[in-house]
Amino acid sequence: MFERAERDPSMDEKEYERRELVLRTELLQQQYELLKQRDRAVLIVVAGVDGAGKGSAINLLNEWMDPRHIRTLAFGAPSVDEAQRPAMWRYWNALPALGQTGIVFGSWYAPLFKEAARKKPDMDRIEAMAAEILRFEAMLASERVRMLKLWYHLSRGAQIARIDAQLADPATAWRVSEADLKVRKKFDRLRAAGEIVLGATDATYTPWRVVPGADDRLRAVETASAVLQAMREPLPRAPRRPPLQVVRHGGRSKAVLEPMPGSGKLDEVDYERQLAGWQARLSEQVRAKRFRKRSLVLVFEGVDAAGKGGAIRRVSHALDVRDFGIVPISAPSDDELAHPYLWRFWRHLPLHGRVCIFDRSWYGRVLVERVESLIPPATWRRAYDEINDFEDQLRRGGAVVLKFWLSVSREEQLRRFKERRDSPFKSFKLTPDDWRNRRKWDDYMSAAREMIARTDSAHAPWVVVADDDKRTARIKVLEHIVRAMDDA
């Protein structure tokens, strides 16, 4: 894997000068073509042994291309805020938009390489970490992110010579880190760790490319050539993702999504008593010391006029306004369309001790986008696994995830539509889309049943609240939240 790089190949100055002019011109032209076409984002992952010239490679790309359209992202230890969210949160937030180029230094590979470089690496943990990375990269590839993974390597002798030369020059000595100095002592172990990482995460849609780092000229030419190829070559077909083993919450393939006939109504006195009781308990839970290491993510989906807004207001009334946020989801903006579809949801994930309420959510991909034929069937079919993976990461990041499907009967929906139409205070709630969606009731119900069956998990369960009585529905929502918080 590293044999060629450890031979420390080089390029003579004359050949370099000939290649440099051509590459710089073509890179700049292709960068502007990328900005014009906006058919992909290019994400360059820079990794490898310390002292192999990774920093120099990044500087070169910013010099040879227009740096205004390159996002160079260097990640170190997670900040306090980053540590309170799933590990991948900070990388999702940094993804370049279509037409842009991003360079990632200190990426999601750092924890994997650290584990692989231990004296006794945990191979089961390495396998799990690699699978998560491959799922992440498969989704990016499916969402038109062209990823280029560059691993810089050189021989032990060349690494020692490079570090010694930098230390001898006051102008470059500051660049030498403790990690650079440790490489000479642990070279064999780090080399073996690199082979583990590359072997576990090399995929047809995101292959690794090993770049020899001993010679500055050769490293520059091979880096630039690889970037140019990534900008030019056709995007790969949507890849198959490594499966995520989801613990199912229960058999929900035939979930009842509409109210049962003859269900009663909750009288106002009993409703107010129960409402106050459940709100008080929820308020205590989110103020408790144990919640400071957790967060709460609530998802509300359902048929139009089923009472999502009313239920959300009853939940929010139990919370301090400083401790929660409500994210209303509608059609994506141009900026959101220029990123992978989960990007806009990752951006809103709450810190520990806070609550985030999604009024509609990432499930639009397998509901609205599916039913309205806004995306190809292959896209919404793979979304189930992508969503399960996303929610599993929320769980591992400390979030309690609850998903509510609110529904009413067709007759009750029609009654509420007419009430909205005739009320000066509610008419704004009724849109032509509501009437169009009503005509596709059966299609939406079919999509919802499959959605629940395929994404109802132990760590992110679906709660179906199908009731024509608004008061009963609101109490059910609050009760489920409180009981889930008790069990968390």
Side-chain angles (χ1 to χ4, degrees):
M1 189 175 294
F2 297 135
E3 289 80 3
R4 174 174 177 264
E6 290 184 352
R7 290 197 295 270
D8 298 326
S10 62
M11 178 176 287
D12 64 64
E13 187 172 357
K14 188 174 182 179
E15 174 68 9
Y16 174 73
E17 290 176 352
R18 184 183 69 81
R19 298 285 299 277
E20 178 190 16
L21 179 60
V22 175
L23 281 171
R24 293 185 71 156
T25 302
E26 291 183 344
L27 267 177
L28 201 57
Q29 290 176 344
Q30 198 61 40
Q31 184 184 16
Y32 282 114
E33 184 66 20
L34 182 70
L35 287 164
K36 178 182 177 181
Q37 297 295 331
R38 289 172 57 87
D39 67 330
R40 73 188 67 190
V42 175
L43 187 62
I44 305 165
V45 177
V46 176
V49 66
D50 291 308
K54 299 189 293 289
S56 297
I58 293 173
N59 291 335
L60 175 133
L61 289 175
N62 278 281
E63 178 184 346
W64 285 14
M65 300 167 68
D66 188 335
R68 295 174 299 173
H69 305 298
I70 298 177
R71 295 188 64 191
T72 302
L73 307 157
F75 295 98
S79 67
V80 174
D81 283 0
E82 289 169 344
Q84 294 184 37
R85 293 181 169 99
M88 300 301 289
W89 177 81
R90 57 181 178 162
Y91 306 121
W92 270 96
N93 275 273
L95 290 177
L98 294 178
Q100 295 180 347
T101 301
I103 304 174
V104 184
F105 188 72
S107 68
W108 44 92
Y109 281 97
L112 177 59
F113 184 70
K114 183 178 180 180
E115 178 63 36
R118 292 173 57 191
K119 286 184 178 179
K120 295 183 179 180
D122 184 337
M123 298 309 296
D124 289 337
R125 185 162 185 260
I126 286 173
E127 183 180 355
M129 295 169 75
E132 181 174 339
I133 287 171
L134 289 173
R135 288 194 297 270
F136 171 59
E137 293 179 351
M139 181 177 184
L140 296 191
S142 300
E143 295 282 314
R144 295 186 290 170
V145 177
R146 179 67 173 89
M147 189 174 299
L148 174 63
K149 301 191 297 191
L150 301 176
W151 188 277
Y152 291 84
H153 194 76
L154 73 179
S155 69
R156 182 206 299 268
Q159 200 273 345
I160 292 173
R162 176 186 294 277
I163 297 304
D164 288 346
Q166 288 182 331
L167 287 172
D169 185 349
T172 58
W174 62 271
R175 295 181 178 177
V176 180
S177 66
E178 290 186 15
D180 294 329
L181 295 172
K182 289 179 180 179
V183 170
R184 65 182 69 195
K185 297 180 180 179
K186 301 180 179 180
F187 189 87
D188 290 341
R189 191 198 303 176
L190 296 176
R191 183 187 192 279
E195 289 184 327
I196 291 173
V197 171
L198 269 63
T201 58
D202 189 69
T204 55
Y205 51 91
T206 53
W208 279 104
R209 182 161 179 167
V210 178
V211 180
D215 182 71
D216 293 347
R217 291 188 287 263
L218 181 67
R219 182 183 62 240
V221 167
E222 293 208 3
T223 298
S225 298
V227 173
L228 187 61
Q229 182 182 359
M231 289 181 168
R232 282 178 170 172
E233 66 184 10
L235 290 167
R237 295 180 61 185
R240 299 176 71 94
R241 292 162 46 89
L244 174 70
Q245 300 300 319
V246 177
V247 179
R248 297 297 178 186
H249 187 253
R252 303 294 290 274
S253 59
K254 296 182 179 180
V256 178
L257 303 186
E258 299 178 58
M260 300 296 291
S263 56
K265 291 188 176 183
L266 194 62
D267 69 73
E268 186 173 0
V269 174
D270 195 16
Y271 166 68
E272 294 294 343
R273 178 184 61 80
Q274 291 193 48
L275 180 65
W278 291 115
Q279 286 178 330
R281 287 185 61 181
L282 179 57
S283 178
E284 291 173 1
Q285 288 174 326
V286 298
R287 288 184 287 108
K289 184 177 180 179
R290 65 193 294 258
F291 188 59
R292 296 175 191 171
K293 295 184 178 180
R294 307 299 300 269
S295 60
L296 177 61
V297 175
L298 302 176
V299 172
F300 286 86
E301 294 283 357
V303 301
D304 296 318
K308 293 184 294 296
I312 290 171
R313 284 194 295 276
R314 272 62 185 185
V315 172
S316 64
H317 286 172
L319 309 174
D320 187 314
V321 69
R322 295 167 295 184
D323 295 331
F324 76 91
I326 299 175
V327 184
I329 299 300
S330 56
S333 66
D334 289 342
D335 190 36
E336 290 167 342
L337 287 171
H339 290 85
Y341 84 97
L342 284 177
W343 175 78
R344 63 171 172 160
F345 306 109
W346 274 96
R347 298 170 69 204
H348 294 290
L349 298 186
L351 293 165
H352 288 171
R354 290 183 58 84
V355 180
C356 186
I357 304 171
F358 287 92
D359 184 357
R360 300 204 182 274
S361 68
W362 43 93
Y363 284 100
R365 175 133 294 198
V366 294
L367 288 173
V368 177
E369 293 182 57
R370 169 186 173 172
V371 174
E372 302 297 336
S373 299
L374 300 176
I375 53 177
T379 301
W380 59 257
R381 285 180 182 134
R382 73 166 185 267
Y384 298 116
D385 283 341
E386 294 168 348
I387 288 170
N388 284 331
D389 189 13
F390 172 48
E391 292 173 350
D392 183 62
Q393 291 184 65
L394 298 189
R395 173 191 64 83
R396 287 186 282 119
V400 178
V401 183
L402 281 177
K403 304 173 303 195
F404 292 93
W405 175 265
L406 273 62
S407 186
V408 292
S409 65
R410 292 193 190 194
E411 294 75 20
E412 177 63 16
Q413 185 192 58
L414 180 60
R415 188 194 68 78
R416 294 183 185 185
F417 276 11
K418 291 179 178 178
E419 181 184 46
R420 289 181 176 184
R421 181 194 60 194
D422 298 336
S423 170
F425 302 105
K426 296 182 179 181
S427 59
F428 72 93
K429 291 184 175 183
L430 191 62
T431 69
D433 286 344
D434 295 327
W435 291 107
R436 190 188 71 248
N437 293 344
R438 178 174 167 81
R439 291 192 292 271
K440 296 185 177 182
W441 179 283
D442 291 337
D443 293 334
Y444 273 100
M445 284 299 178
S446 177
R449 288 190 182 91
E450 184 173 3
M451 171 192 77
I452 290 173
R454 298 187 62 173
T455 62
D456 184 56
S457 61
H459 62 266
W462 276 104
V463 179
V464 177
V465 179
D467 205 300
D468 283 347
D469 181 45
K470 291 182 179 181
R471 295 170 181 168
T472 301
R474 292 166 184 169
I475 296 301
K476 286 180 179 179
V477 167
L478 280 163
E479 180 181 359
H480 276 290
I481 296 171
V482 170
R483 296 199 185 283
M485 291 282 283
D486 281 339
D487 294 338

